Amino acid sequence: MSALDPRREDESPKWGPRESMRLLNHEFVRVDAVDKVTGRARYTHDVRLPGMLFAKFLGCPIAHAEVKVDVTAAKALPGVVEVRVVREGEIRFLGQPVAVVAAKTREAADDALRAIKLEITPLPFAVTHAQSLAANAPKVGRNGNTSKVNEDGDGAQVAEAFKRCERVVEATYEVPIQHHACLETHGVVVDVPTADSGTVFHSTQATYGSANEFKGPLKVKQVEVVNEYMGGGFGAKFEAGVEGRVACELARELQAPIHLMLSRRDEFLIAGNRSGCVQTLKLGGSKDGKLLALEASVDKLGGLGGGSHGGFPFHYEVETSHSSTRSVYTNLDSNRAMRAPGHPQAAFGMESIVDELAYALGIDLLEIRKRNAESDVHRRQLDRVAREIGWFEHAHKNAPDLSDATRKVGIGFGLSDWGAGGGPACKVTVEISSDGSVRASVGSQDLGTGVRTYVAAIVAEELGLPLAGVTARVGRTSYGAANASGGSTTTGSLAPAVKDAAFNARRAFAAALAKTLKSDANDLSFDTEGVLDAKSKRRLSWRDACATLGPTGVSATGEWKEGLSSNVIHGAQAARVEVDTRTGEIKVLKMVCMQDCGLPLNRTAVRSQINGGMVQALSYALFEERVIEPDLGIAMNANFEDYKLAASKEMPEMVAIIDDEDTRGVIGIAEATIVPGHAAIANAIHNACGVRLRTMPLTPDKLLMGLAALKPLKPLKKD
Amino acid sequence: MADPERSGVDLSRRVFLKSAGGLAAGGALGESALAATNSGLFGDGVERLTGEVEIELTLNGAARKVKVEPRTTLLSALRDRLEPPLSGAKLVCDMGSCGACTVHVDGKPAYACLLLAVDCVGKKLKTIEGLAQGDVLHPLQTAFCEHDALMCGFCTPGFLMSISACLDTKPTATLDEIKESCAGNVCRCGTYPHIFEAAVAAQRVLAGGKR
Ligand code: FES
Ligand code: FES
């Protein structure tokens, strides 16, 4: 029986055996690829409406101030339609918008920004960890500069356990604030609302949810949010934000469409970030490398927000552990979720200290991980990435290379896991028309992960059609309920609902067809050749079969069903790095990631996701850091010139391996892939030359300082 | 006027250029393009343009009229002023550090956010919308699709314009030269490995070989 055999009538939808799949679990081209390579894909940034005004924010240039805004001169400029105060009085974070302008052209909007008069009274501020914790620090948070300490585990027990350890290592690891750096900045284009409804084009990870946020400022009952293409989100784009609220107010009051996309500078300063942290870890192990005791103290740095941290012992089993975690506040914008919130920070601390302990004990870096990893999946993945990176031929498995060579190569490892999963949230519609066309509509957004493509593929697979036989529509509130794309839950929530809708559409089609053909719906099966009636052996092409449908065709909806999705995924990564001990140059030569993800819907897109995680981790490792001048409280690198992202010349060889031993249902993959890569790179640097870099980013100057400390320079001999 | 340092407005050199009103050296504009403008000669040999002027750009092989200010960038002219707009080139950094706005000017890749539209009169401009020949994709576009060299797609037009300029002028470019050609482009989604695969595959097609 084929996977599409109608005799499964009373069963619920199932993915069926992977061997019989034509599309899913295969490699195929994204259905929107052509729109993206021709420039036809229309993003929120690209929306142009008649009479549309360009709106821009003016932000407070310092971290803490009392601000008065005078808009008179700005308002009088030609082409400027409106200039208004967004916020006056105490400004609590760097870049907070104080005024907004709306003008007929971008140039006029810039003129208006320059003509706004700000009267600024600087107030004492804290923009660094040390400033916030200083004895005479200004008050930053509403209730002081730190949160209450969150304790986990039994400290006394851990202190006891340290006594039993063969070796104990202790170190402090620092992670800077990172930016999401979506190429498309946050923002909206708001059309003029009617009496009771409005339309907002929004670059958002929560198309369906954000509609509610716009109702208030638009003063309407119904809002259609449109988000057909978006230029990245990575966790920063869940809310309407101040830009969404202000743009709605302007559109309603000025009766003109408003285009308000944040400037790159604003994007850096007010649109979220991955919190930094300062974490002190103490780890002890037995002679044979069993992890026995871990004591951790973590300060999270998320500006005025709480920050996030993945917690310890992080993917490793440690006999007993205790951690104390708190937030330290600064006069910077709040952190937001960012791809695997808190996990990369924790990975840097944990993977580093596991290595430090392995060296102290003289144990193989791969072995100590396999001995203590939480899961057997991690163990098999570690073996595979070790083979791929060349570990078994590598000379320095339990001690770094301390030779006098000037170019030295090291290897490092790291692990990840992520809950992902999914649940009831999405409502999907599949329509089959009498002309043979098939349309699937979902409210969910496609962040670049490939949602539109797998929606089409799931339906095509179920109906026996080629991928091009199904049109997928995504990213509109009216297409149906959908969850926000957070925590890698889009696939786990949406794909089962699409499958259910396609399954229901197929059954409805079979029932309608059976009536016309005077046969039994249970005898009708759909495959690439069309419809076959098992009893009469009669065959109809897909087109002819559809032609029997009335003008309304067949339509069915679907919802999430138990058993089609699963949760908790695992990954292992390895990095091979070359360092130049004369210049401090750090070159990542190769990265490998093996990742499970249940049923891979589109193997090409899954590999792209895995690569993307590794690339972002590499960039985080080597370059990324928000820099705020500590004495002036001003931004030093709120632009793409000074905030460096890894690009073509830094790219190593990359190997993305899908773990095919995982036979579960669908699971989202995005977050897990970004978790351990930077930690693997830091470990590889140490393995290469014996310098442990404990403060990210891992830059040549830090490496040279480390090398100098390792081997003090001899004074030049006079002759 | 507020001190720009205090108002948080970035006063980089280029911003200054764009906000100070355009100075176009005499002859930089095509004669015909200037006919209906309100430019004036001040006797110092420098032609000053103020307000809006209508210019004609040669875009993807067609003459397109567009009203710009002397300080309007080519990118803004394409995206914000042309009717209908050409929005394939993206505004990302607005300062020449991301490559998302890359177009071809007389066959060479250039950042459209760093060019004044008035300086592009008389030059052959190609944007991502003109990379395909009608419905036939450029081999690099096809290869980008086939190798999944795109995710969100926001950087994609820029990468395509940078690399296609490289392959068109040097079909035998090495992988390092291809990487160099797009070293001024950034992709936050991290599609680089697939971009390189696609570029190499396109090279084979351009050389007359198989995919
Ligand atoms: S927008 Fe022109 S280079 Fe970034
Ligand atoms: S594909 Fe998203 S930035 Fe390149």
Side-chain angles (χ1 to χ4, degrees):
Chain A
M1 283 203 318
S2 89
L4 304 175
D5 195 290
R7 279 161 220 280
R8 300 178 305 138
E9 269 321 299
D10 32 14
E11 290 173 30
S12 50
K14 286 193 181 61
W15 295 116
R18 290 193 189 179
E19 314 78 77
S20 60
M21 292 176 178
R22 289 177 301 115
L23 289 164
L24 305 183
N25 195 33
H26 285 72
E27 301 191 341
F28 45 93
V29 174
R30 287 173 200 248
V31 295
D32 48 13
V34 172
D35 280 347
K36 288 178 179 175
V37 299
T38 52
R40 281 204 298 259
R42 190 177 66 158
Y43 298 78
T44 305
H45 257 241
D46 304 331
V47 174
R48 299 288 177 267
L49 301 174
M52 187 182 85
L53 303 176
F54 288 97
K56 297 188 178 196
F57 280 136
L58 179 64
C60 179
I62 58 174
H64 192 197
E66 194 64 40
V67 175
K68 269 202 225 138
V69 184
D70 178 355
V71 301
T72 336
K75 252 184 169 163
L77 291 172
V80 176
V81 176
E82 175 68 331
V83 185
R84 56 170 72 166
V85 174
V86 173
R87 192 187 163 93
E88 271 185 313
E90 190 192 356
I91 298 300
R92 292 177 64 223
F93 67 87
L94 175 59
Q96 185 164 14
V98 293
V100 66
V101 306
K104 291 187 178 142
T105 63
R106 277 186 196 280
E107 292 87 350
D110 285 332
D111 289 341
L113 287 182
R114 275 187 291 271
I116 295 171
K117 287 197 183 111
L118 298 185
E119 201 178 293
I120 299 175
T121 312
L123 297 173
F125 60 82
V127 290
T128 65
H129 182 243
Q131 283 176 339
S132 183
L133 295 179
N136 56 349
K139 194 173 152 199
V140 178
R142 298 261 182 240
N143 305 307
N145 289 6
T146 58
S147 70
K148 97 176 197 318
V149 178
N150 201 346
E151 304 270 347
D152 189 20
D154 182 342
Q157 210 175 24
V158 172
E160 242 349 272
F162 275 124
K163 295 182 189 152
R164 292 188 281 116
C165 293
E166 173 78 10
R167 281 295 168 90
V168 174
V169 288
E170 183 169 6
T172 299
Y173 304 93
E174 291 184 46
V175 179
I177 289 175
Q178 182 191 22
H179 290 284
H180 299 77
C182 307
L183 289 204
E184 182 181 39
T185 60
H186 285 64
V188 290
V189 176
V190 185
D191 203 351
V192 181
T194 65
D196 50 20
S197 73
T199 302
V200 180
F201 299 84
H202 188 200
S203 184
T204 177
Q205 295 175 234
T207 303
Y208 196 78
S210 79
N212 283 327
E213 285 188 82
F214 295 122
K215 285 180 193 162
L218 275 178
K219 296 203 169 139
V220 294
K221 287 197 213 73
Q222 187 66 37
V223 174
E224 171 86 328
V225 173
V226 184
N227 178 26
E228 289 176 353
Y229 289 94
M230 67 183 289
F234 310 113
K237 293 182 178 170
F238 287 111
E239 295 149 30
V242 57
E243 62 278 9
R245 176 175 59 76
V246 169
C248 285
E249 287 165 3
L250 288 172
R252 174 170 54 79
E253 288 168 36
L254 304 175
Q255 288 291 300
I258 299 292
H259 183 286
L260 204 181
M261 305 298 299
L262 296 187
S263 69
R264 184 51 57 183
R265 178 184 161 89
D266 290 341
E267 181 75 11
F268 272 102
L269 296 182
I270 68 167
N273 56 76
R274 183 191 291 291
S275 56
C277 73
V278 176
Q279 41 190 344
T280 299
L281 302 183
K282 187 175 171 189
L283 179 67
S286 68
K287 204 170 176 172
D288 62 351
K290 184 95 199 60
L291 303 182
L292 298 180
L294 173 70
E295 176 65 47
S297 95
V298 181
D299 281 356
K300 300 180 288 181
L301 290 163
L304 292 173
S308 64
H309 192 277
F312 290 117
F314 205 67
H315 312 327
Y316 290 98
E317 269 173 2
V318 183
E319 224 172 75
T320 169
S321 76
H322 171 252
S323 61
S324 0
T325 308
R326 64 177 180 174
S327 307
V328 176
Y329 304 111
T330 54
N331 292 108
L332 300 172
D333 70 325
S334 290
N335 67 295
R336 294 187 188 175
M338 181 167 174
R339 201 167 179 181
H343 281 229
Q345 295 95 314
F348 182 60
M350 193 65 192
E351 298 291 356
S352 297
I353 200 140
V354 165
D355 257 34
E356 302 217 34
L357 182 67
Y359 287 120
L361 290 165
I363 290 183
D364 181 309
L365 302 176
L366 181 68
E367 281 311 313
I368 197 163
R369 288 185 164 74
K370 287 172 64 182
R371 203 157 303 170
N372 298 285
E374 263 173 6
S375 149
D376 286 338
V377 178
H378 279 139
R379 275 181 270 280
R380 76 167 184 244
Q381 293 176 337
L382 275 167
D383 275 331
R384 178 68 197 275
V385 299
R387 201 162 70 231
E388 194 69 44
I389 204 77
W391 179 251
F392 299 110
E393 303 83 52
H394 186 60
H396 304 279
K397 293 197 180 65
N398 59 2
D401 179 358
L402 297 174
S403 72
D404 284 334
T406 51
R407 281 175 174 274
K408 315 206 294 182
V409 172
I411 290 175
F413 297 98
L415 297 177
S416 70
D417 65 19
W418 190 257
C426 302
K427 189 158 177 194
V428 175
T429 309
V430 171
E431 299 154 280
I432 304 173
S433 302
S434 54
D435 64 359
S437 64
V438 178
R439 195 163 75 174
S441 308
V442 308
S444 314
Q445 48 287 325
D446 187 340
L447 279 68
T449 52
V451 166
R452 184 182 272 109
T453 304
Y454 74 60
V455 168
I458 291 169
V459 177
E461 181 90 53
E462 181 74 20
L463 298 178
L465 292 171
L467 185 57
V470 180
T471 303
R473 305 192 301 172
V474 309
R476 254 183 198 264
T477 321
S478 56
Y479 290 164
N483 59 329
S485 292
S488 298
T489 58
T490 310
T491 298
S493 302
L494 175 62
V498 176
K499 178 74 176 170
D500 187 46
F503 175 83
N504 291 337
R506 180 174 61 78
R507 295 215 305 181
F509 189 14
L513 210 50
K515 239 188 229 159
T516 330
L517 301 180
K518 305 211 171 7
S519 61
D520 184 344
N522 289 329
D523 290 329
L524 298 180
S525 65
F526 295 78
D527 58 26
T528 49
E529 259 137 61
V531 189
L532 177 69
D533 183 338
K535 203 168 279 159
S536 69
K537 299 278 177 279
R538 193 167 153 205
R539 224 182 214 300
L540 273 182
S541 72
W542 173 263
R543 269 188 171 276
D544 291 345
C546 290
T548 67
L549 293 170
T552 51
V554 163
S555 163
T557 60
E559 283 169 16
W560 185 83
K561 289 271 146 55
E562 188 82 49
L564 292 170
S565 61
S566 192
N567 59 13
V568 186
I569 57 171
H570 315 78
Q573 295 191 19
R576 187 180 184 86
V577 174
E578 183 184 73
V579 301
D580 186 324
T581 58
R582 295 160 302 183
T583 61
E585 191 194 351
I586 297 165
K587 195 167 168 46
V588 182
L589 301 175
K590 182 169 180 175
M591 288 179 86
V592 182
C593 172
M594 186 176 197
Q595 184 66 52
D596 63 7
C597 64
L599 169 65
L601 292 170
N602 177 358
R603 297 182 73 89
T604 319
V606 169
R607 273 195 288 103
S608 284
Q609 283 274 30
I610 297 176
N611 285 337
M614 287 193 279
V615 170
Q616 287 187 354
L618 177 147
S619 189
Y620 188 40
L622 301 184
F623 305 115
E624 295 186 44
E625 172 179 29
R626 167 188 268 183
V627 182
I628 308 292
E629 211 293 322
D631 294 327
L632 300 172
I634 58 171
M636 299 303 287
N637 63 346
N639 61 66
F640 273 147
E641 193 68 30
D642 303 309
Y643 186 92
K644 163 85 177 144
L645 296 178
S648 67
K649 286 177 146 180
E650 287 85 34
M651 287 306 127
E653 179 192 350
M654 292 200 167
V655 183
I657 306 167
I658 301 170
D659 188 342
D660 283 314
E661 283 188 51
D662 182 5
T663 55
R664 299 171 294 167
V666 295
I667 318 175
I669 195 180
E671 335 249 343
T673 59
I674 203 187
V675 173
H678 57 295
I681 291 170
N683 285 344
I685 292 170
H686 180 273
N687 183 245
C689 65
V691 174
R692 174 63 60 184
L693 296 180
R694 300 191 181 92
T695 302
M696 286 174 40
L698 316 168
T699 50
D701 58 319
K702 291 175 192 160
L703 184 64
L704 288 175
M705 295 292 280
L707 286 164
L710 216 57
K711 208 183 254 183
L713 292 174
K714 292 188 205 97
L716 284 178
K717 268 205 209 102
K718 283 199 200 125
D719 44 24
Chain B
M1 198 164 108
D3 175 358
E5 291 295 311
R6 302 300 287 170
S7 65
V9 176
D10 176 20
L11 201 69
S12 65
R13 246 192 358 240
R14 196 184 53 76
V15 172
F16 179 74
L17 175 69
K18 278 200 272 187
S19 54
L23 284 178
L29 284 174
E31 239 80 327
S32 60
L34 266 182
T37 69
N38 53 358
S39 62
L41 216 54
F42 285 71
D44 53 5
V46 177
E47 206 151 14
R48 288 175 175 75
L49 310 172
T50 54
E52 277 196 342
V53 297
E54 187 174 66
I55 57 170
E56 190 176 278
L57 296 175
T58 313
L59 271 167
N60 302 325
R64 298 277 305 266
K65 286 204 164 48
V66 57
K67 278 200 187 122
V68 299
E69 289 182 46
R71 59 178 169 169
T72 303
T73 61
L74 174 61
L75 182 61
S76 182
L78 297 173
R79 295 178 50 84
D80 308 325
R81 290 175 175 263
L82 210 60
E83 266 309 328
L86 290 176
S87 57
K90 299 290 183 255
L91 173 77
V92 169
C93 70
D94 208 11
M95 64 185 295
S97 31
C98 77
C101 63
T102 305
V103 297
H104 295 176
V105 179
D106 288 336
K108 296 208 182 76
Y111 293 149
C113 72
L114 289 191
L115 292 169
L116 295 176
V118 291
D119 280 341
C120 295
V121 172
K123 305 201 166 140
K124 268 200 214 138
L125 305 173
K126 192 191 271 185
T127 68
I128 186 68
E129 289 87 348
L131 189 59
Q133 304 228 308
D135 282 344
V136 182
L137 295 181
H138 185 286
L140 188 64
Q141 289 173 304
T142 310
F144 261 55
C145 296
E146 288 175 350
H147 293 264
D148 208 40
L150 45 91
M151 293 183 70
C152 79
F154 214 70
C155 70
T156 309
F159 272 95
L160 282 163
M161 295 312 277
S162 295
I163 301 174
S164 66
C166 166
L167 297 185
D168 289 345
T169 45
K170 190 172 182 199
T172 56
T174 61
L175 181 56
D176 276 343
E177 285 168 330
I178 290 170
K179 289 185 180 180
E180 180 73 38
S181 77
C182 62
N185 295 72
V186 294
C187 171
R188 188 43 152 173
C189 297
T191 56
Y192 299 97
H194 288 172
I195 288 176
F196 303 151
E197 277 176 27
V200 171
Q203 233 176 347
R204 280 199 295 271
V205 175
L206 284 166
K210 289 238 172 72
R211 271 181 204 150

